Amino acid sequence: GEFNELIPKEGEVIFAMPAVGIEPIRSDAQPDEQGRWRAGPGTLPVPGEWDVSLRILITDFESVTLRGAISLD
């Protein structure tokens, strides 16, 4: 098949640490002049293992969420 460039309509980065009761911290992502998406700046309140999600709105009716974890010292 043929692949075309995907230009998201919206993006959101979400950090959470449910193990210690920290609710999701959300940051909207915006495209910069080069078309790269950026969120923040932001500060996470404590070091440790954070759940991170990236929610991408592709169309008005379709979104994709990528999930992972990061460890901050």
mmCIF file of all heavy atoms in Angstrom, residues 5-27:
data_model
loop_
_atom_site.group_PDB
_atom_site.id
_atom_site.type_symbol
_atom_site.label_atom_id
_atom_site.label_comp_id
_atom_site.label_asym_id
_atom_site.label_seq_id
_atom_site.Cartn_x
_atom_site.Cartn_y
_atom_site.Cartn_z
ATOM 1 N N GLU A 5 1.843 11.049 4.728
ATOM 2 C CA GLU A 5 2.233 11.702 5.969
ATOM 3 C C GLU A 5 1.021 11.825 6.890
ATOM 4 O O GLU A 5 -0.079 12.167 6.461
ATOM 5 C CB GLU A 5 2.785 13.093 5.657
ATOM 6 C CG GLU A 5 3.230 13.846 6.874
ATOM 7 C CD GLU A 5 3.783 15.218 6.532
ATOM 8 O OE1 GLU A 5 3.634 15.674 5.385
ATOM 9 O OE2 GLU A 5 4.356 15.832 7.428
ATOM 10 N N LEU A 6 1.222 11.503 8.154
ATOM 11 C CA LEU A 6 0.170 11.623 9.153
ATOM 12 C C LEU A 6 0.376 12.924 9.917
ATOM 13 O O LEU A 6 1.423 13.131 10.527
ATOM 14 C CB LEU A 6 0.217 10.444 10.125
ATOM 15 C CG LEU A 6 -0.694 10.530 11.332
ATOM 16 C CD1 LEU A 6 -2.159 10.512 10.899
ATOM 17 C CD2 LEU A 6 -0.425 9.396 12.288
ATOM 18 N N ILE A 7 -0.600 13.798 9.859
ATOM 19 C CA ILE A 7 -0.535 15.060 10.593
ATOM 20 C C ILE A 7 -1.628 15.028 11.657
ATOM 21 O O ILE A 7 -2.814 15.108 11.329
ATOM 22 C CB ILE A 7 -0.707 16.268 9.651
ATOM 23 C CG1 ILE A 7 0.390 16.251 8.598
ATOM 24 C CG2 ILE A 7 -0.695 17.568 10.451
ATOM 25 C CD1 ILE A 7 0.249 17.295 7.519
ATOM 26 N N PRO A 8 -1.247 14.863 12.922
ATOM 27 C CA PRO A 8 -2.246 14.781 13.989
ATOM 28 C C PRO A 8 -3.043 16.072 14.129
ATOM 29 O O PRO A 8 -2.550 17.168 13.840
ATOM 30 C CB PRO A 8 -1.412 14.541 15.245
ATOM 31 C CG PRO A 8 -0.068 14.143 14.777
ATOM 32 C CD PRO A 8 0.108 14.722 13.416
ATOM 33 N N LYS A 9 -4.271 15.937 14.602
ATOM 34 C CA LYS A 9 -5.103 17.105 14.889
ATOM 35 C C LYS A 9 -4.784 17.651 16.277
ATOM 36 O O LYS A 9 -4.837 18.850 16.498
ATOM 37 C CB LYS A 9 -6.577 16.730 14.799
ATOM 38 C CG LYS A 9 -7.008 16.373 13.380
ATOM 39 C CD LYS A 9 -8.464 16.003 13.321
ATOM 40 C CE LYS A 9 -9.335 17.172 13.575
ATOM 41 N NZ LYS A 9 -9.956 17.854 12.502
ATOM 42 N N GLU A 10 -4.474 16.754 17.232
ATOM 43 C CA GLU A 10 -4.147 17.140 18.608
ATOM 44 C C GLU A 10 -3.199 16.113 19.196
ATOM 45 O O GLU A 10 -3.141 14.977 18.740
ATOM 46 C CB GLU A 10 -5.405 17.169 19.493
ATOM 47 C CG GLU A 10 -6.394 18.230 19.181
ATOM 48 C CD GLU A 10 -7.614 18.167 20.099
ATOM 49 O OE1 GLU A 10 -7.635 17.354 21.044
ATOM 50 O OE2 GLU A 10 -8.552 18.931 19.858
ATOM 51 N N GLY A 11 -2.512 16.522 20.250
ATOM 52 C CA GLY A 11 -1.669 15.610 21.005
ATOM 53 C C GLY A 11 -1.704 15.971 22.474
ATOM 54 O O GLY A 11 -1.907 17.132 22.835
ATOM 55 N N GLU A 12 -1.525 14.966 23.316
ATOM 56 C CA GLU A 12 -1.517 15.192 24.761
ATOM 57 C C GLU A 12 -0.554 14.206 25.405
ATOM 58 O O GLU A 12 -0.547 13.018 25.068
ATOM 59 C CB GLU A 12 -2.923 14.991 25.329
ATOM 60 C CG GLU A 12 -3.023 15.207 26.809
ATOM 61 C CD GLU A 12 -4.425 14.973 27.337
ATOM 62 O OE1 GLU A 12 -5.132 14.058 26.854
ATOM 63 O OE2 GLU A 12 -4.817 15.708 28.250
ATOM 64 N N VAL A 13 0.274 14.688 26.323
ATOM 65 C CA VAL A 13 1.182 13.855 27.089
ATOM 66 C C VAL A 13 0.633 13.775 28.509
ATOM 67 O O VAL A 13 0.243 14.794 29.087
ATOM 68 C CB VAL A 13 2.618 14.436 27.100
ATOM 69 C CG1 VAL A 13 3.547 13.551 27.899
ATOM 70 C CG2 VAL A 13 3.131 14.606 25.680
ATOM 71 N N ILE A 14 0.601 12.556 29.065
ATOM 72 C CA ILE A 14 0.010 12.345 30.380
ATOM 73 C C ILE A 14 0.993 11.553 31.241
ATOM 74 O O ILE A 14 1.450 10.474 30.837
ATOM 75 C CB ILE A 14 -1.313 11.567 30.263
ATOM 76 C CG1 ILE A 14 -2.256 12.275 29.291
ATOM 77 C CG2 ILE A 14 -1.958 11.385 31.631
ATOM 78 C CD1 ILE A 14 -3.348 11.395 28.743
ATOM 79 N N PHE A 15 1.324 12.090 32.411
ATOM 80 C CA PHE A 15 2.171 11.409 33.387
ATOM 81 C C PHE A 15 1.329 11.061 34.600
ATOM 82 O O PHE A 15 0.503 11.869 35.040
ATOM 83 C CB PHE A 15 3.326 12.314 33.836
ATOM 84 C CG PHE A 15 4.334 12.596 32.774
ATOM 85 C CD1 PHE A 15 4.217 13.714 31.958
ATOM 86 C CD2 PHE A 15 5.408 11.745 32.580
ATOM 87 C CE1 PHE A 15 5.145 13.977 30.973
ATOM 88 C CE2 PHE A 15 6.349 12.000 31.591
ATOM 89 C CZ PHE A 15 6.211 13.120 30.793
ATOM 90 N N ALA A 16 1.539 9.879 35.170
ATOM 91 C CA ALA A 16 0.825 9.484 36.383
ATOM 92 C C ALA A 16 1.703 8.547 37.203
ATOM 93 O O ALA A 16 2.583 7.866 36.662
ATOM 94 C CB ALA A 16 -0.488 8.786 36.034
ATOM 95 N N MET A 17 1.471 8.537 38.505
ATOM 96 C CA MET A 17 2.151 7.619 39.402
ATOM 97 C C MET A 17 1.098 7.059 40.367
ATOM 98 O O MET A 17 1.026 7.438 41.533
ATOM 99 C CB MET A 17 3.286 8.328 40.158
ATOM 100 C CG MET A 17 4.221 7.369 40.874
ATOM 101 S SD MET A 17 5.518 8.203 41.830
ATOM 102 C CE MET A 17 6.666 8.649 40.566
ATOM 103 N N PRO A 18 0.251 6.159 39.865
ATOM 104 C CA PRO A 18 -0.847 5.661 40.686
ATOM 105 C C PRO A 18 -0.402 4.904 41.929
ATOM 106 O O PRO A 18 -1.143 4.869 42.909
ATOM 107 C CB PRO A 18 -1.628 4.754 39.724
ATOM 108 C CG PRO A 18 -0.739 4.494 38.572
ATOM 109 C CD PRO A 18 0.251 5.608 38.517
ATOM 110 N N ALA A 19 0.799 4.334 41.927
ATOM 111 C CA ALA A 19 1.275 3.578 43.090
ATOM 112 C C ALA A 19 1.340 4.426 44.350
ATOM 113 O O ALA A 19 1.203 3.912 45.462
ATOM 114 C CB ALA A 19 2.644 2.966 42.793
ATOM 115 N N VAL A 20 1.535 5.742 44.180
ATOM 116 C CA VAL A 20 1.590 6.629 45.350
ATOM 117 C C VAL A 20 0.451 7.643 45.337
ATOM 118 O O VAL A 20 0.483 8.638 46.053
ATOM 119 C CB VAL A 20 2.962 7.348 45.462
ATOM 120 C CG1 VAL A 20 4.071 6.336 45.693
ATOM 121 C CG2 VAL A 20 3.257 8.193 44.246
ATOM 122 N N GLY A 21 -0.559 7.401 44.488
ATOM 123 C CA GLY A 21 -1.746 8.242 44.490
ATOM 124 C C GLY A 21 -1.639 9.536 43.709
ATOM 125 O O GLY A 21 -2.468 10.420 43.890
ATOM 126 N N ILE A 22 -0.649 9.665 42.822
ATOM 127 C CA ILE A 22 -0.545 10.881 42.013
ATOM 128 C C ILE A 22 -1.412 10.717 40.771
ATOM 129 O O ILE A 22 -1.177 9.836 39.937
ATOM 130 C CB ILE A 22 0.909 11.198 41.630
ATOM 131 C CG1 ILE A 22 1.735 11.444 42.893
ATOM 132 C CG2 ILE A 22 0.968 12.417 40.703
ATOM 133 C CD1 ILE A 22 3.199 11.688 42.644
ATOM 134 N N GLU A 23 -2.429 11.530 40.688
ATOM 135 C CA GLU A 23 -3.367 11.502 39.574
ATOM 136 C C GLU A 23 -2.676 11.979 38.288
ATOM 137 O O GLU A 23 -1.621 12.615 38.339
ATOM 138 C CB GLU A 23 -4.563 12.414 39.879
ATOM 139 C CG GLU A 23 -5.404 11.936 41.048
ATOM 140 C CD GLU A 23 -6.143 10.641 40.735
ATOM 141 O OE1 GLU A 23 -6.641 10.492 39.601
ATOM 142 O OE2 GLU A 23 -6.205 9.787 41.624
ATOM 143 N N PRO A 24 -3.268 11.714 37.124
ATOM 144 C CA PRO A 24 -2.653 12.118 35.853
ATOM 145 C C PRO A 24 -2.363 13.620 35.775
ATOM 146 O O PRO A 24 -3.176 14.447 36.176
ATOM 147 C CB PRO A 24 -3.699 11.721 34.816
ATOM 148 C CG PRO A 24 -4.435 10.582 35.450
ATOM 149 C CD PRO A 24 -4.485 10.935 36.911
ATOM 150 N N ILE A 25 -1.169 13.924 35.286
ATOM 151 C CA ILE A 25 -0.735 15.297 35.017
ATOM 152 C C ILE A 25 -0.714 15.428 33.497
ATOM 153 O O ILE A 25 0.052 14.733 32.821
ATOM 154 C CB ILE A 25 0.662 15.567 35.607
ATOM 155 C CG1 ILE A 25 0.619 15.363 37.123
ATOM 156 C CG2 ILE A 25 1.152 16.959 35.229
ATOM 157 C CD1 ILE A 25 1.992 15.337 37.776
ATOM 158 N N ARG A 26 -1.566 16.290 32.960
ATOM 159 C CA ARG A 26 -1.760 16.386 31.515
ATOM 160 C C ARG A 26 -1.114 17.643 30.952
ATOM 161 O O ARG A 26 -1.132 18.682 31.586
ATOM 162 C CB ARG A 26 -3.252 16.396 31.195
ATOM 163 C CG ARG A 26 -3.962 15.153 31.673
ATOM 164 C CD ARG A 26 -5.467 15.243 31.487
ATOM 165 N NE ARG A 26 -6.123 14.073 32.005
ATOM 166 C CZ ARG A 26 -6.282 12.931 31.340
ATOM 167 N NH1 ARG A 26 -5.828 12.835 30.102
ATOM 168 N NH2 ARG A 26 -6.880 11.906 31.894
ATOM 169 N N SER A 27 -0.571 17.497 29.745
ATOM 170 C CA SER A 27 0.019 18.631 29.050
ATOM 171 C C SER A 27 -0.325 18.515 27.562
ATOM 172 O O SER A 27 -0.018 17.500 26.927
ATOM 173 C CB SER A 27 1.531 18.642 29.249
ATOM 174 O OG SER A 27 2.117 19.742 28.601
#
